[in-house]
Amino acid sequence: MAETLTGFAAAPGRAYGPTHVVQSHARKVARRLIDASQRDAELKRLEQAADALARSLKDSADALASQAPSKTHNLAEALLTSQRAVLDDPVFIDGMRDAIAQRNLCAEWAVESTLNDLQRKFRRLADERFRSWFHDVQGLADELLRELIGASPTRYLQCDEGDIVVAHSLTISDTIKLIERGAAGFILERGSLTSHVAVLCRSAGIAAVTGIDAAAEYFGEDQLLMVDGDKGLVCSVVQKPDKTRQSESFEETLPAPLAPDGSSVTLRANLELRLDAQWARSQGTQGVGLWRTFFQYIGRSDLPSEHHLATLFGRVVEDFAPDPVHIRLLDLSGPFEEHELPLELRNIGPCRGIRLRQHRPDVLITQIRAIVRAATRGDVRVLVPFVTDVSEMLWVREQVQSACETLNPGAQVAVGAMIEVPAAVLSIDAICDVSDHLAIGSNDLGALLLGYGREDPRPPGPPHAALIDAIATIVRAAQRRGIAVSLCGELASDLRGTRALMATGLRHLSLTPRLAPALRFTLHEMWRRSQRAAQSRSGQA
Ligand code: PEP
Ligand code: MG
């Protein structure tokens, strides 16, 4: 039975997966009164723990500084620096020293007692934002307790890719480690919207809900949960997995994706950095609906060679076989800094999608040749981004044909247009005539149709009717021409729009694999309800 708990919407997005519970060390605080002869030893333990924590904060900041710069890393580094400043603050550490020296509390109790004093002071602050900073002080105190207790930080940081991390509270460096290990979502007992976990999750695009009381005690390990960071909800959609059924994989617990009319729906993976077919399959996707090849160009100074791309494409196509892999030609879409691009692609100005052919047709031809070479390994198809007119598609088709003739005679590589610019919707019939299939890019289409920036927050509420209408127009045109059409923008993972998407007739959806299980459950629930409605109608008749 589904159960829903309400907390704070700390970082937007939705994630679905098995829980990894990080047990809190802070709960096991010893409360011991000491006598005068033990005071110096306790003060020394506190100093040593504070020194060890200062060193570990510095090491974590240095480790982050030595890695490739990213928004999340820079943010974490800044947060670690501010934590070191709090640790040095007399209000923090002197309170603890006094509690040991004057009230004869052991070091752990002194930390806890000082924290309680600070909490009372924070509560008196008029500004909610300042009050919420207490959570970060609390996190630091938790870390100090961990040093005092001697708990190993790595002991509980063994999360797997796709896990939902459940914790009492988390340190900055632990949060970063868990994000890097592939945590798909966070549920925390403590933490406000401005707490470091929330800030880091928002920056990394990972859903987080805070303020779920006793979560770390309430949820078991490997419980399947959905985290809705937009609404601040945690939902257990299925029972705890039966531990006796060890052979059952996560994939096998997922219901078949069916539309409300009972027709089957195909869910495919959107690939960026993680090119792992086994993982994508385990999340309930089949094949690749969109491979954003942009990531093969970012963070390097030279252009990838045809050989490099052909080897990579071939491996991925083989891994996903017999399912299709749709490889998108390079779309220089942000956000990125100019210096992150290969030298030869810098300073060509804003140049989305297929418009690159006007500046560097050779870059696209190299990709096309590599795709054609990979076609010997499985079902590979080309996606052309940002198509606005027929001539762009004809150029790509010509390049694909010529590459097939020279590199892979007899090969047939399908070429599809991405429909993500309103101009393409207006000339959809003509574009269908030169396309073997279509892929709808709802991210750009929505932004361009409704006039918001890709970096702006999405319009609140369910997907706009104009976007759904545009999608329905595209689907009808594809059906008239008998060509396949899929949706590969983030709209596929916005469960508020699933029913409307199904009503347009779309039956191929592509999304980031870790969001596919939630979509499969949503589709299943919709299908079940429509079955029940049909049964009660036939009962009444
Ligand atoms: C889209 O625009 O929906 C899309 C899939 O492309 P991207 O998000 O990579 O621009
Ligand atoms: Mg796009």
PDB file of all heavy atoms in Angstrom, residues 451-479:
ATOM      1  N   GLY A 451       8.319  31.011 -24.282  1.00  0.00           N
ATOM      2  CA  GLY A 451       9.116  32.208 -24.021  1.00  0.00           C
ATOM      3  C   GLY A 451       9.789  32.233 -22.670  1.00  0.00           C
ATOM      4  O   GLY A 451       9.787  33.262 -21.999  1.00  0.00           O
ATOM      5  N   TYR A 452      10.320  31.113 -22.228  1.00  0.00           N
ATOM      6  CA  TYR A 452      11.152  31.162 -21.022  1.00  0.00           C
ATOM      7  C   TYR A 452      12.532  30.601 -21.342  1.00  0.00           C
ATOM      8  O   TYR A 452      12.714  29.880 -22.329  1.00  0.00           O
ATOM      9  CB  TYR A 452      10.517  30.452 -19.825  1.00  0.00           C
ATOM     10  CG  TYR A 452      10.163  29.002 -20.010  1.00  0.00           C
ATOM     11  CD1 TYR A 452      11.117  28.004 -19.822  1.00  0.00           C
ATOM     12  CD2 TYR A 452       8.873  28.622 -20.342  1.00  0.00           C
ATOM     13  CE1 TYR A 452      10.787  26.675 -19.984  1.00  0.00           C
ATOM     14  CE2 TYR A 452       8.542  27.287 -20.508  1.00  0.00           C
ATOM     15  CZ  TYR A 452       9.493  26.326 -20.329  1.00  0.00           C
ATOM     16  OH  TYR A 452       9.177  25.007 -20.494  1.00  0.00           O
ATOM     17  N   GLY A 453      13.517  30.987 -20.506  1.00  0.00           N
ATOM     18  CA  GLY A 453      14.882  30.546 -20.743  1.00  0.00           C
ATOM     19  C   GLY A 453      15.079  29.137 -20.199  1.00  0.00           C
ATOM     20  O   GLY A 453      14.403  28.743 -19.256  1.00  0.00           O
ATOM     21  N   ARG A 454      16.004  28.385 -20.805  1.00  0.00           N
ATOM     22  CA  ARG A 454      16.257  27.017 -20.340  1.00  0.00           C
ATOM     23  C   ARG A 454      16.728  27.001 -18.885  1.00  0.00           C
ATOM     24  O   ARG A 454      16.554  26.021 -18.186  1.00  0.00           O
ATOM     25  CB  ARG A 454      17.316  26.333 -21.224  1.00  0.00           C
ATOM     26  CG  ARG A 454      16.842  25.906 -22.582  1.00  0.00           C
ATOM     27  CD  ARG A 454      15.961  24.673 -22.509  1.00  0.00           C
ATOM     28  NE  ARG A 454      16.664  23.507 -22.011  1.00  0.00           N
ATOM     29  CZ  ARG A 454      17.185  22.553 -22.756  1.00  0.00           C
ATOM     30  NH1 ARG A 454      17.108  22.639 -24.065  1.00  0.00           N
ATOM     31  NH2 ARG A 454      17.770  21.504 -22.213  1.00  0.00           N
ATOM     32  N   GLU A 455      17.369  28.089 -18.443  1.00  0.00           N
ATOM     33  CA  GLU A 455      17.859  28.116 -17.062  1.00  0.00           C
ATOM     34  C   GLU A 455      16.828  28.682 -16.087  1.00  0.00           C
ATOM     35  O   GLU A 455      17.033  28.655 -14.890  1.00  0.00           O
ATOM     36  CB  GLU A 455      19.159  28.933 -16.963  1.00  0.00           C
ATOM     37  CG  GLU A 455      20.293  28.413 -17.831  1.00  0.00           C
ATOM     38  CD  GLU A 455      20.546  26.923 -17.662  1.00  0.00           C
ATOM     39  OE1 GLU A 455      20.625  26.472 -16.513  1.00  0.00           O
ATOM     40  OE2 GLU A 455      20.638  26.209 -18.667  1.00  0.00           O
ATOM     41  N   ASP A 456      15.734  29.226 -16.615  1.00  0.00           N
ATOM     42  CA  ASP A 456      14.684  29.753 -15.725  1.00  0.00           C
ATOM     43  C   ASP A 456      13.978  28.582 -15.063  1.00  0.00           C
ATOM     44  O   ASP A 456      13.925  27.494 -15.627  1.00  0.00           O
ATOM     45  CB  ASP A 456      13.596  30.505 -16.520  1.00  0.00           C
ATOM     46  CG  ASP A 456      14.134  31.744 -17.202  1.00  0.00           C
ATOM     47  OD1 ASP A 456      15.280  32.113 -16.894  1.00  0.00           O
ATOM     48  OD2 ASP A 456      13.419  32.311 -18.044  1.00  0.00           O
ATOM     49  N   PRO A 457      13.378  28.843 -13.872  1.00  0.00           N
ATOM     50  CA  PRO A 457      12.559  27.764 -13.324  1.00  0.00           C
ATOM     51  C   PRO A 457      11.414  27.490 -14.292  1.00  0.00           C
ATOM     52  O   PRO A 457      10.942  28.408 -14.960  1.00  0.00           O
ATOM     53  CB  PRO A 457      12.026  28.339 -12.018  1.00  0.00           C
ATOM     54  CG  PRO A 457      12.526  29.724 -11.930  1.00  0.00           C
ATOM     55  CD  PRO A 457      13.371  30.060 -13.106  1.00  0.00           C
ATOM     56  N   ARG A 458      11.002  26.230 -14.372  1.00  0.00           N
ATOM     57  CA  ARG A 458       9.889  25.895 -15.259  1.00  0.00           C
ATOM     58  C   ARG A 458       8.630  26.611 -14.810  1.00  0.00           C
ATOM     59  O   ARG A 458       8.460  26.867 -13.627  1.00  0.00           O
ATOM     60  CB  ARG A 458       9.624  24.414 -15.192  1.00  0.00           C
ATOM     61  CG  ARG A 458      10.713  23.634 -15.791  1.00  0.00           C
ATOM     62  CD  ARG A 458      10.141  22.698 -16.799  1.00  0.00           C
ATOM     63  NE  ARG A 458      11.063  21.585 -16.910  1.00  0.00           N
ATOM     64  CZ  ARG A 458      10.649  20.359 -17.013  1.00  0.00           C
ATOM     65  NH1 ARG A 458       9.380  20.091 -16.959  1.00  0.00           N
ATOM     66  NH2 ARG A 458      11.511  19.395 -17.159  1.00  0.00           N
ATOM     67  N   PRO A 459       7.719  26.896 -15.742  1.00  0.00           N
ATOM     68  CA  PRO A 459       6.452  27.469 -15.295  1.00  0.00           C
ATOM     69  C   PRO A 459       5.810  26.510 -14.308  1.00  0.00           C
ATOM     70  O   PRO A 459       5.916  25.292 -14.491  1.00  0.00           O
ATOM     71  CB  PRO A 459       5.618  27.556 -16.571  1.00  0.00           C
ATOM     72  CG  PRO A 459       6.500  27.203 -17.695  1.00  0.00           C
ATOM     73  CD  PRO A 459       7.747  26.586 -17.156  1.00  0.00           C
ATOM     74  N   PRO A 460       5.205  27.052 -13.246  1.00  0.00           N
ATOM     75  CA  PRO A 460       4.601  26.146 -12.268  1.00  0.00           C
ATOM     76  C   PRO A 460       3.408  25.415 -12.880  1.00  0.00           C
ATOM     77  O   PRO A 460       2.898  25.814 -13.911  1.00  0.00           O
ATOM     78  CB  PRO A 460       4.158  27.090 -11.153  1.00  0.00           C
ATOM     79  CG  PRO A 460       4.018  28.418 -11.804  1.00  0.00           C
ATOM     80  CD  PRO A 460       4.947  28.459 -12.973  1.00  0.00           C
ATOM     81  N   GLY A 461       2.978  24.381 -12.212  1.00  0.00           N
ATOM     82  CA  GLY A 461       1.783  23.673 -12.665  1.00  0.00           C
ATOM     83  C   GLY A 461       2.103  22.669 -13.749  1.00  0.00           C
ATOM     84  O   GLY A 461       3.246  22.544 -14.173  1.00  0.00           O
ATOM     85  N   PRO A 462       1.080  21.960 -14.171  1.00  0.00           N
ATOM     86  CA  PRO A 462       1.292  20.909 -15.171  1.00  0.00           C
ATOM     87  C   PRO A 462       1.706  21.498 -16.520  1.00  0.00           C
ATOM     88  O   PRO A 462       1.564  22.707 -16.741  1.00  0.00           O
ATOM     89  CB  PRO A 462      -0.073  20.232 -15.257  1.00  0.00           C
ATOM     90  CG  PRO A 462      -1.038  21.172 -14.660  1.00  0.00           C
ATOM     91  CD  PRO A 462      -0.299  22.084 -13.738  1.00  0.00           C
ATOM     92  N   PRO A 463       2.214  20.668 -17.445  1.00  0.00           N
ATOM     93  CA  PRO A 463       2.680  21.181 -18.734  1.00  0.00           C
ATOM     94  C   PRO A 463       1.620  22.041 -19.441  1.00  0.00           C
ATOM     95  O   PRO A 463       0.426  21.715 -19.401  1.00  0.00           O
ATOM     96  CB  PRO A 463       2.964  19.905 -19.523  1.00  0.00           C
ATOM     97  CG  PRO A 463       3.197  18.862 -18.497  1.00  0.00           C
ATOM     98  CD  PRO A 463       2.389  19.234 -17.295  1.00  0.00           C
ATOM     99  N   HIS A 464       2.078  23.094 -20.050  1.00  0.00           N
ATOM    100  CA  HIS A 464       1.190  24.062 -20.697  1.00  0.00           C
ATOM    101  C   HIS A 464       0.417  23.400 -21.844  1.00  0.00           C
ATOM    102  O   HIS A 464       0.972  22.600 -22.601  1.00  0.00           O
ATOM    103  CB  HIS A 464       2.050  25.207 -21.237  1.00  0.00           C
ATOM    104  CG  HIS A 464       1.263  26.445 -21.530  1.00  0.00           C
ATOM    105  ND1 HIS A 464       0.454  26.557 -22.638  1.00  0.00           N
ATOM    106  CD2 HIS A 464       1.168  27.617 -20.862  1.00  0.00           C
ATOM    107  CE1 HIS A 464      -0.114  27.753 -22.638  1.00  0.00           C
ATOM    108  NE2 HIS A 464       0.304  28.420 -21.565  1.00  0.00           N
ATOM    109  N   ALA A 465      -0.855  23.805 -21.980  1.00  0.00           N
ATOM    110  CA  ALA A 465      -1.710  23.212 -23.017  1.00  0.00           C
ATOM    111  C   ALA A 465      -1.120  23.436 -24.411  1.00  0.00           C
ATOM    112  O   ALA A 465      -1.258  22.579 -25.297  1.00  0.00           O
ATOM    113  CB  ALA A 465      -3.107  23.816 -22.928  1.00  0.00           C
ATOM    114  N   ALA A 466      -0.434  24.583 -24.612  1.00  0.00           N
ATOM    115  CA  ALA A 466       0.115  24.862 -25.952  1.00  0.00           C
ATOM    116  C   ALA A 466       1.203  23.851 -26.305  1.00  0.00           C
ATOM    117  O   ALA A 466       1.326  23.438 -27.465  1.00  0.00           O
ATOM    118  CB  ALA A 466       0.680  26.287 -25.990  1.00  0.00           C
ATOM    119  N   LEU A 467       1.981  23.448 -25.318  1.00  0.00           N
ATOM    120  CA  LEU A 467       3.034  22.467 -25.577  1.00  0.00           C
ATOM    121  C   LEU A 467       2.414  21.109 -25.907  1.00  0.00           C
ATOM    122  O   LEU A 467       2.839  20.411 -26.831  1.00  0.00           O
ATOM    123  CB  LEU A 467       3.964  22.378 -24.357  1.00  0.00           C
ATOM    124  CG  LEU A 467       5.109  21.373 -24.440  1.00  0.00           C
ATOM    125  CD1 LEU A 467       6.008  21.638 -25.647  1.00  0.00           C
ATOM    126  CD2 LEU A 467       5.952  21.407 -23.167  1.00  0.00           C
ATOM    127  N   ILE A 468       1.377  20.750 -25.157  1.00  0.00           N
ATOM    128  CA  ILE A 468       0.694  19.469 -25.428  1.00  0.00           C
ATOM    129  C   ILE A 468       0.061  19.502 -26.821  1.00  0.00           C
ATOM    130  O   ILE A 468       0.136  18.542 -27.581  1.00  0.00           O
ATOM    131  CB  ILE A 468      -0.375  19.175 -24.341  1.00  0.00           C
ATOM    132  CG1 ILE A 468       0.290  19.059 -22.957  1.00  0.00           C
ATOM    133  CG2 ILE A 468      -1.181  17.911 -24.671  1.00  0.00           C
ATOM    134  CD1 ILE A 468       1.215  17.869 -22.766  1.00  0.00           C
ATOM    135  N   ASP A 469      -0.519  20.653 -27.184  1.00  0.00           N
ATOM    136  CA  ASP A 469      -1.122  20.773 -28.529  1.00  0.00           C
ATOM    137  C   ASP A 469      -0.066  20.603 -29.606  1.00  0.00           C
ATOM    138  O   ASP A 469      -0.286  19.932 -30.615  1.00  0.00           O
ATOM    139  CB  ASP A 469      -1.761  22.163 -28.704  1.00  0.00           C
ATOM    140  CG  ASP A 469      -3.155  22.208 -28.111  1.00  0.00           C
ATOM    141  OD1 ASP A 469      -3.620  21.139 -27.654  1.00  0.00           O
ATOM    142  OD2 ASP A 469      -3.760  23.302 -28.089  1.00  0.00           O
ATOM    143  N   ALA A 470       1.102  21.245 -29.388  1.00  0.00           N
ATOM    144  CA  ALA A 470       2.179  21.143 -30.381  1.00  0.00           C
ATOM    145  C   ALA A 470       2.619  19.686 -30.513  1.00  0.00           C
ATOM    146  O   ALA A 470       2.828  19.183 -31.631  1.00  0.00           O
ATOM    147  CB  ALA A 470       3.361  22.023 -29.968  1.00  0.00           C
ATOM    148  N   ILE A 471       2.708  18.986 -29.390  1.00  0.00           N
ATOM    149  CA  ILE A 471       3.117  17.572 -29.430  1.00  0.00           C
ATOM    150  C   ILE A 471       2.074  16.739 -30.181  1.00  0.00           C
ATOM    151  O   ILE A 471       2.411  15.895 -31.012  1.00  0.00           O
ATOM    152  CB  ILE A 471       3.343  17.055 -27.989  1.00  0.00           C
ATOM    153  CG1 ILE A 471       4.596  17.728 -27.410  1.00  0.00           C
ATOM    154  CG2 ILE A 471       3.482  15.534 -27.958  1.00  0.00           C
ATOM    155  CD1 ILE A 471       4.835  17.479 -25.934  1.00  0.00           C
ATOM    156  N   ALA A 472       0.797  17.036 -29.907  1.00  0.00           N
ATOM    157  CA  ALA A 472      -0.265  16.279 -30.591  1.00  0.00           C
ATOM    158  C   ALA A 472      -0.189  16.511 -32.103  1.00  0.00           C
ATOM    159  O   ALA A 472      -0.379  15.580 -32.899  1.00  0.00           O
ATOM    160  CB  ALA A 472      -1.627  16.699 -30.043  1.00  0.00           C
ATOM    161  N   THR A 473       0.127  17.741 -32.504  1.00  0.00           N
ATOM    162  CA  THR A 473       0.254  18.053 -33.938  1.00  0.00           C
ATOM    163  C   THR A 473       1.375  17.216 -34.562  1.00  0.00           C
ATOM    164  O   THR A 473       1.231  16.658 -35.649  1.00  0.00           O
ATOM    165  CB  THR A 473       0.589  19.565 -34.111  1.00  0.00           C
ATOM    166  OG1 THR A 473      -0.455  20.310 -33.497  1.00  0.00           O
ATOM    167  CG2 THR A 473       0.732  19.956 -35.565  1.00  0.00           C
ATOM    168  N   ILE A 474       2.497  17.128 -33.840  1.00  0.00           N
ATOM    169  CA  ILE A 474       3.648  16.375 -34.361  1.00  0.00           C
ATOM    170  C   ILE A 474       3.302  14.884 -34.459  1.00  0.00           C
ATOM    171  O   ILE A 474       3.590  14.225 -35.457  1.00  0.00           O
ATOM    172  CB  ILE A 474       4.876  16.571 -33.429  1.00  0.00           C
ATOM    173  CG1 ILE A 474       5.249  18.054 -33.338  1.00  0.00           C
ATOM    174  CG2 ILE A 474       6.066  15.750 -33.915  1.00  0.00           C
ATOM    175  CD1 ILE A 474       6.181  18.391 -32.164  1.00  0.00           C
ATOM    176  N   VAL A 475       2.644  14.368 -33.413  1.00  0.00           N
ATOM    177  CA  VAL A 475       2.305  12.936 -33.401  1.00  0.00           C
ATOM    178  C   VAL A 475       1.350  12.620 -34.555  1.00  0.00           C
ATOM    179  O   VAL A 475       1.535  11.626 -35.280  1.00  0.00           O
ATOM    180  CB  VAL A 475       1.687  12.529 -32.040  1.00  0.00           C
ATOM    181  CG1 VAL A 475       1.170  11.094 -32.070  1.00  0.00           C
ATOM    182  CG2 VAL A 475       2.713  12.693 -30.926  1.00  0.00           C
ATOM    183  N   ARG A 476       0.357  13.477 -34.759  1.00  0.00           N
ATOM    184  CA  ARG A 476      -0.603  13.220 -35.851  1.00  0.00           C
ATOM    185  C   ARG A 476       0.114  13.204 -37.202  1.00  0.00           C
ATOM    186  O   ARG A 476      -0.127  12.345 -38.035  1.00  0.00           O
ATOM    187  CB  ARG A 476      -1.712  14.281 -35.841  1.00  0.00           C
ATOM    188  CG  ARG A 476      -2.813  14.011 -34.814  1.00  0.00           C
ATOM    189  CD  ARG A 476      -4.060  14.836 -35.106  1.00  0.00           C
ATOM    190  NE  ARG A 476      -3.770  16.266 -35.117  1.00  0.00           N
ATOM    191  CZ  ARG A 476      -3.797  17.065 -34.038  1.00  0.00           C
ATOM    192  NH1 ARG A 476      -4.108  16.554 -32.855  1.00  0.00           N
ATOM    193  NH2 ARG A 476      -3.531  18.349 -34.147  1.00  0.00           N
ATOM    194  N   ALA A 477       1.034  14.165 -37.383  1.00  0.00           N
ATOM    195  CA  ALA A 477       1.758  14.235 -38.672  1.00  0.00           C
ATOM    196  C   ALA A 477       2.578  12.964 -38.874  1.00  0.00           C
ATOM    197  O   ALA A 477       2.592  12.384 -39.961  1.00  0.00           O
ATOM    198  CB  ALA A 477       2.656  15.468 -38.688  1.00  0.00           C
ATOM    199  N   ALA A 478       3.258  12.493 -37.814  1.00  0.00           N
ATOM    200  CA  ALA A 478       4.081  11.281 -37.931  1.00  0.00           C
ATOM    201  C   ALA A 478       3.184  10.075 -38.231  1.00  0.00           C
ATOM    202  O   ALA A 478       3.531   9.232 -39.060  1.00  0.00           O
ATOM    203  CB  ALA A 478       4.864  11.067 -36.644  1.00  0.00           C
ATOM    204  N   GLN A 479       2.023  10.032 -37.567  1.00  0.00           N
ATOM    205  CA  GLN A 479       1.113   8.885 -37.806  1.00  0.00           C
ATOM    206  C   GLN A 479       0.601   8.895 -39.253  1.00  0.00           C
ATOM    207  O   GLN A 479       0.506   7.850 -39.884  1.00  0.00           O
ATOM    208  CB  GLN A 479      -0.066   8.931 -36.832  1.00  0.00           C
ATOM    209  CG  GLN A 479       0.347   8.517 -35.410  1.00  0.00           C
ATOM    210  CD  GLN A 479      -0.723   8.785 -34.360  1.00  0.00           C
ATOM    211  OE1 GLN A 479      -1.666   9.554 -34.604  1.00  0.00           O
ATOM    212  NE2 GLN A 479      -0.570   8.172 -33.200  1.00  0.00           N
TER     213      GLN A 479
END
